[in-house]
Every structure is written in structure tokens, then in C-alpha cells.
Amino acid sequence: MPLGRRISKDVAARMEDDRRLAGSYRDRLADATAAETALRTAQAEDRPADELKALDAAFDQALTVALEAALAAERVEMGPKVYVPEGQDGAAHRAAEIAERKARARWTVRPWTDEIDRLRTARETHRLSYRAGRGVAAV
């Protein structure tokens, strides 16, 4: 007899997928750091624009993948109440939203929330500030 709270099979499966993805967070963050280093090195060496554009896309993709892993880690830390079983009505979705908001106030979830904010800010700053080519007209 299990002593824990019962959860549906699809919620358990999604939680396990998130747990696996969250376990690879450090590797994905290291990949993003390596991609940024490669981009900055290429910029310093004044490489061609098409090469810089490819490195720019790789860095953006690596940041996005690291962000997905951080989001999965946050959901796992929040617990099974934030997952909505398939085919549920609006009340279940609303209950999951409320549980998510409550969970974000816990001290165990807060570091992941801060990390997600940091990664989103880094990605958006990169997207808004970096231009690989000289094709943008100055206004």
C-alpha cells in the first residue's frame, strides 16, 4: 500500500520526463557556456558574418535548451499538483495554476525561479542586442 498521494499515470509519466530533463540541466548549461565562448572568440577574431550567424544561432539554441531544462526542474520541485491530467476541465487547469503560484513561494522552488529569470534575460538580451551581419540599416 503506497503511503504517498496518488497521481494519475499520465501525470506520473510527465513528471518522470521532467525529472530526466532536469537531471541534464548542468550539461545543457555547460553547452550554452561553450557556445557563448565560441561566439565571443569568433567575434574577437573578426570571423566572417555567415560563420558568426551560425554561432549566434547555436548559442541561442543552447540557451533555449538550458531554459527548458530549468523549467522542468522547477516543475518537478513544485510537485504533482501543478500537472494537469489529460482531458481535464477548466477548473482543473485553474487549480493547477493556483498550485503553481503557491509553489513558487516555497524556498525550495525559488532558486529555480531565479535561474529561469536569469536564463530568459540572457537569451532576450542576446536576441535584442546581437547582430551577426551588417545588413541592418542604421536609423
Side-chain angles (χ1 to χ4, degrees), residues 2 5 8 35-36 38 53 70 73-74 97 101 117-118 121-123 133:
R5 199 170 253 208
S8 68
E36 181 183 20
K53 189 168 183 138
E74 183 187 44
E97 289 173 2
R101 234 185 359 256
D117 290 343
R118 185 183 75 83
T121 301
R123 186 180 65 175

Side-chain angles (χ1 to χ4, degrees), residues 9-11 13 16 25 33-34 53 91 97 123 125 129 131:
K9 288 182 181 180
D10 61 333
V11 168
E16 185 57 36
Y25 171 71
T33 303
K53 189 168 183 138
E97 289 173 2
R123 186 180 65 175
T125 300
S129 66
R131 298 282 190 252

Side-chain angles (χ1 to χ4, degrees), residues 92-121:
H93 286 278
R94 182 67 180 144
E97 289 173 2
I98 292 169
E100 188 174 324
R101 234 185 359 256
K102 284 182 179 181
R104 279 209 176 98
R106 291 197 310 248
W107 65 273
T108 56
V109 176
R110 191 66 197 165
W112 286 113
T113 304
D114 293 341
E115 185 66 11
I116 289 166
D117 290 343
R118 185 183 75 83
L119 287 171
R120 278 186 180 145
T121 301

Side-chain angles (χ1 to χ4, degrees), residues 4-24 68-86 103 106 109:
R5 199 170 253 208
R6 286 187 160 191
I7 56 175
S8 68
K9 288 182 181 180
D10 61 333
V11 168
R14 288 186 14 220
M15 222 175 142
E16 185 57 36
D17 291 343
D18 279 349
R19 197 171 275 123
R20 243 183 267 113
L21 185 59
S24 67
E68 289 171 0
L71 286 166
E74 183 187 44
R75 283 191 302 271
V76 167
E77 196 64 44
M78 287 180 184
K81 286 186 177 182
V82 299
Y83 293 91
V84 180
E86 294 295 322
R106 291 197 310 248
V109 176

Side-chain angles (χ1 to χ4, degrees), residues 38-91:
L39 176 63
R40 302 301 174 218
T41 302
Q43 282 177 320
E45 294 172 355
D46 203 24
R47 297 246 179 103
D50 57 339
E51 185 178 342
L52 289 176
K53 189 168 183 138
L55 290 170
D56 169 45
F59 177 48
D60 185 60
Q61 180 65 29
L63 275 175
T64 301
V65 169
L67 179 62
E68 289 171 0
L71 286 166
E74 183 187 44
R75 283 191 302 271
V76 167
E77 196 64 44
M78 287 180 184
K81 286 186 177 182
V82 299
Y83 293 91
V84 180
E86 294 295 322
Q88 293 294 316
D89 60 349

